[in-house]
């Protein structure tokens, strides 16, 4: 269990806060809008009505005691920038801030953000990859060259074992696991047989995986 401070309870902030609570964490929510806080307070560990653009107000939150602080203010980038900076100045362990553009992302890193979320770009990139490739269900970009993909098993592999398909040697694919009926197989071996409807979670070079998905049959 972790303790997380979420500043800015718009739609994105609520999604983050709700998921954190469902995962069993302690969540303090902060917003300057009294109506928002009064409506949401019963769902969270703690709630405070305050304007975090004032450093004294932020100081009163004891930000250093939280495992992470999340700044999700979307409609006022100047405020987001200043709050991010103040959080780091006050000893926040880990600050995650939300950006809407590349320029915002760069400035947030410059003032001390440990991580910057760029949901609009991330969603757009994931959609583009899925539409471009053949039967890509999801992917996680690990760095500039490597990713984890969830993709369909090629028709020509159905009925074969992983050993027979030989994905690592022939396609430089590392199969992490297989999903059958949307349930993860906890342990796979070289003798695991591919079946109709199977999906596989693979790790490797992003460009090679995309090339594989576009030509597999």
């Amino acid at each position: 269990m972790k303790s997380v401070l979420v500043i800015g309870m718009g739609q994105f902030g609520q999604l983050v806060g709700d998921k954190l609570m469902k995962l069993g964490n302690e969540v303090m929510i902060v917003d300057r809008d009294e109506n928002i806080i009064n409506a949401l307070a019963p769902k969270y560990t703690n709630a405070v009505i305050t304007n975090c653009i004032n450093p004294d107000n932020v100081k009163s939150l004891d930000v250093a005691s939280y495992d992470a602080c999340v700044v999700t203010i979307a409609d006022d980038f100047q405020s987001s920038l200043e709050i991010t900076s103040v959080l780091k100045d006050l000893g926040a362990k880990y600050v995650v801030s939300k950006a809407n553009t590349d320029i915002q992302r760069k400035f947030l890193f410059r003032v001390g953000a440990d991580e910057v979320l760029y949901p609009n770009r991330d969603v757009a990139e994931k959609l583009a990859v899925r539409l471009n490739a053949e039967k890509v269900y999801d992917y996680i970009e690990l760095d500039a060259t490597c990713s984890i993909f969830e993709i369909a098993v090629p028709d020509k592999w159905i009925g074969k074992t992983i050993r027979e398909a030989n994905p690592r040697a022939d396609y430089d694919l590392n199969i992490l696991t297989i999903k059958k009926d949307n349930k993860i197989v906890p342990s796979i071996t070289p003798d695991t047989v591919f079946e109709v409807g199977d999906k596989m979670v693979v790790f490797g070079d992003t460009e090679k995986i995309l090339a594989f998905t576009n030509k597999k049959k």
Side-chain angles (χ1 to χ4, degrees), residues 150-151 153 157 160-162 175-189 191-195 197-202:
E150 180 183 334
I151 61 179
V153 172
W157 289 3
K160 292 183 178 181
T161 65
I162 294 177
I175 298 181
L176 302 178
T177 190
I178 294 172
K179 294 177 72 174
K180 295 181 180 291
D181 297 324
N182 286 320
K183 294 182 180 179
I184 292 176
V185 177
S187 179
I188 60 172
T189 72
D191 295 317
T192 298
V193 177
F194 292 113
E195 299 176 337
D198 283 358
K199 301 174 184 176
M200 54 186 180
V201 179
V202 301

Side-chain angles (χ1 to χ4, degrees), residues 25-36:
N25 300 287
E26 293 183 347
V27 180
M28 159 83 89
I29 62 169
V30 180
D31 200 284
R32 65 186 179 184
D33 191 315
E34 181 178 356
N35 293 328
I36 289 176

Side-chain angles (χ1 to χ4, degrees), residues 44-178:
Y44 294 94
T45 310
N46 289 296
V48 172
I49 303 166
T50 193
N51 188 345
C52 288
I53 198 65
N54 185 330
D56 290 333
N57 293 343
V58 180
K59 191 173 183 178
S60 69
L61 299 174
D62 189 23
V63 298
S65 66
Y66 292 92
D67 294 304
C69 299
V70 184
V71 183
T72 67
I73 299 170
D75 57 351
D76 186 347
F77 177 65
Q78 184 63 35
S79 294
S80 178
L81 197 67
E82 292 182 22
I83 292 169
T84 298
S85 179
V86 169
L87 287 170
K88 294 304 291 186
D89 288 344
L90 292 175
K93 296 182 181 74
Y94 194 83
V95 177
V96 183
S97 300
K98 179 177 179 288
N100 291 322
T101 66
D102 282 328
I103 294 297
Q104 290 182 2
R105 182 173 179 270
K106 291 177 182 178
F107 276 108
L108 286 166
F109 275 128
R110 285 182 185 177
V111 299
D114 297 288
E115 182 179 348
V116 177
L117 302 176
Y118 196 165
N120 291 341
R121 184 197 63 181
D122 294 343
V123 170
E125 287 185 353
K126 280 197 171 187
L127 176 61
V129 168
R130 288 195 294 106
L131 292 177
N132 174 71
E134 181 73 18
K135 293 186 178 179
V136 169
Y137 300 100
D138 199 5
Y139 89 105
I140 301 172
E141 186 178 273
L142 300 179
D143 62 20
T145 61
C146 295
S147 300
I148 296 174
F149 279 75
E150 180 183 334
I151 61 179
V153 172
D155 292 342
K156 65 182 179 181
W157 289 3
I158 302 302
K160 292 183 178 181
T161 65
I162 294 177
R163 190 196 315 275
E164 291 170 334
N166 207 14
R168 182 176 295 175
D170 292 346
Y171 302 99
D172 203 17
L173 293 181
N174 298 287
I175 298 181
L176 302 178
T177 190
I178 294 172

Side-chain angles (χ1 to χ4, degrees), residues 14-26:
Q14 291 182 41
L15 289 171
V16 172
D18 286 353
K19 187 62 176 180
L20 284 167
M21 288 296 294
K22 288 177 181 176
L23 292 172
N25 300 287
E26 293 183 347

